[in-house]
Amino acid sequence: MKPPPPVPADQTNISPFAREGLNLTSKIWTTFWQPKSQTFAAGQASADTVPPNHGYLLWPSTVAVQTIIEATRASPSQYSALLTTSIESLEVFYSKQYGAYCAWHNFPGNNDIYYDDNAQVAVAQVTAYQLTQNKTYLQRAIRVADFLVSGWDSSNNPGGMPWHLDRRDSRNTCSTSLAAIAFLHLSRVNSTLAAKYLPVARACISWVLTHLQNESSLIMDNIKLIDGHWKPQTLTWTYNTGSTLSALCLLYTLEPSSTTLQSATTLATAAIDHSKSMYDRSIPDPSLRYWWDSTFFTHLLTEGLLLFLSVFSPPLSSTQHQSQSQQQQQQQLFPQLAPSSTSLLDSIRAELLRQTEYLTAHIRDPADGLYFRNLRLYTIGRAHLEDFARMTGDTKRQMEPDAAERASGEGDVMARPLVKTLLGSAGVGRALLLVGEAGIGR
């Protein structure tokens, strides 16, 4: 199956970011899709692949499917066939024994199952259903959501959702907030599903905000059982704040309240604050800082900020997420977020434009049109280190090479060739398509 041809640069009915996202989706397909095995795989051993054929794990495969879903939303006639084919490829990971998807292809006795992976699968399946009305996708989303509910610890001692099926010594934001997103999407389908999943979603969000929001309002990674005590692990990955923000915004569309709105506003404000720890604070000048981690995380923060704009700024795309009564109630509760305001909404749009332009200008490899994984240029290669020096004026920065940007192997990381991975490119592709759909950068 061949992907659609590149979108012409002079086509004016599509935003530049959406055009780049569609073209990147096609390149992802031609580079990583294996028609013979009907799975995603790399050309050589590299991050997130399994020997001997370098097939990709569930996580990157799911992000690729999510990117194709967004490409289908942007151009249904061209990408629907790729969506049908790619989403079926996830079933090779499915375990009937557990009612969940394994990190690698299922086989008897495989219990390598992650709750966050399964939450992303559930989100992919339900959003594919919303787009296509294919009930098979809805049924799959429900069965995975039921697995996720089984992992929810309602005791509040410590509560939350584990990361892995057999490792219950941590309770993670990624599992808990991504599961909440899946539950909320399902709750939007009909009242029966809402009765089943909305209370759990509400509890998930409350737990994360209570246990994992730090003093700067960002969301920490997890709490971990250490020496008999549950202790917060304080790293602030972008996707933890992003997924929690998405969950809050989706909850507001179902249950509008000033408390939910205020929590979402606090998170959104913190997410674009260059002084906070989701930015690369090794750069002295705050105006030159960008989000610090990786493309496969930042697409979830991009999504959360776009949802905030969609839900709380009616002129953009409120009809997709809000009824008229919800819009009126929102404006009555928080008039500073009314359409005629607002510095926060404008700042979010400006920051999303800035971050997306950074991806296309600095993370894209012009040799093949694919993207690297890291946002910190000094972790990729020497040419990127030189780019970093030009951008920041920091000529003394040394390489901090990330092995995941290079082919797998032994010895000196810098001696191995740079590679592009499915996870890195798919994360960018999804972000580009989401931003393009929102009309930012047009």
Side-chain angles (χ1 to χ4, degrees), residues 26 48 65 69 72 75 137 144 172 177 217 227 236:
S26 294
D48 318 310
V65 170
I69 289 171
T72 304
S75 184
Y137 304 152
V144 182
N172 294 63
S177 288
S217 301
D227 297 329
T236 51

Side-chain angles (χ1 to χ4, degrees), residues 262-331:
Q262 186 59 63
S263 295
T265 302
T266 299
L267 267 189
T269 303
I272 60 169
D273 186 336
H274 294 203
S275 71
K276 296 186 183 293
S277 58
M278 286 202 311
Y279 284 78
D280 185 354
R281 293 193 292 188
S282 73
I283 300 171
D285 185 347
S287 70
L288 299 177
R289 295 172 183 168
Y290 291 84
W291 293 328
W292 77 277
D293 51 15
S294 303
T295 63
F296 47 82
F297 288 157
T298 56
H299 74 97
L300 290 167
L301 179 53
T302 296
E303 181 179 34
L305 289 168
L306 287 169
L307 266 174
F308 185 88
L309 290 176
S310 177
V311 171
F312 300 120
S313 56
L316 287 182
S317 55
S318 64
T319 54
Q320 183 179 354
H321 297 283
Q322 289 184 296
S323 67
Q324 185 175 359
S325 62
Q326 287 172 332
Q327 293 175 32
Q328 292 171 347
Q329 182 178 6
Q330 170 256 308
Q331 292 177 32

Side-chain angles (χ1 to χ4, degrees), residues 19 60 88 99 110-111 116 155 182 212 268 274 276 283 298 316 331 380-381:
R19 180 172 60 244
E88 287 304 315
N110 187 356
N111 64 352
D116 61 326
S155 71
L212 286 168
H274 294 203
K276 296 186 183 293
I283 300 171
T298 56
L316 287 182
Q331 292 177 32
I380 303 174

Side-chain angles (χ1 to χ4, degrees), residues 24 48 295-296 371-373 421-429:
L24 177 55
D48 318 310
T295 63
F296 47 82
Y371 285 72
F372 293 100
R373 299 160 65 98
T421 62
L422 178 61
L423 193 56
S425 288
V428 176

Side-chain angles (χ1 to χ4, degrees), residues 157-158 168-170 223-233:
N157 185 31
R168 305 190 70 85
D169 61 346
S170 72
I223 57 171
K224 191 172 183 63
L225 187 62
I226 301 174
D227 297 329
H229 300 281
W230 291 96
K231 299 180 180 180
Q233 305 303 295

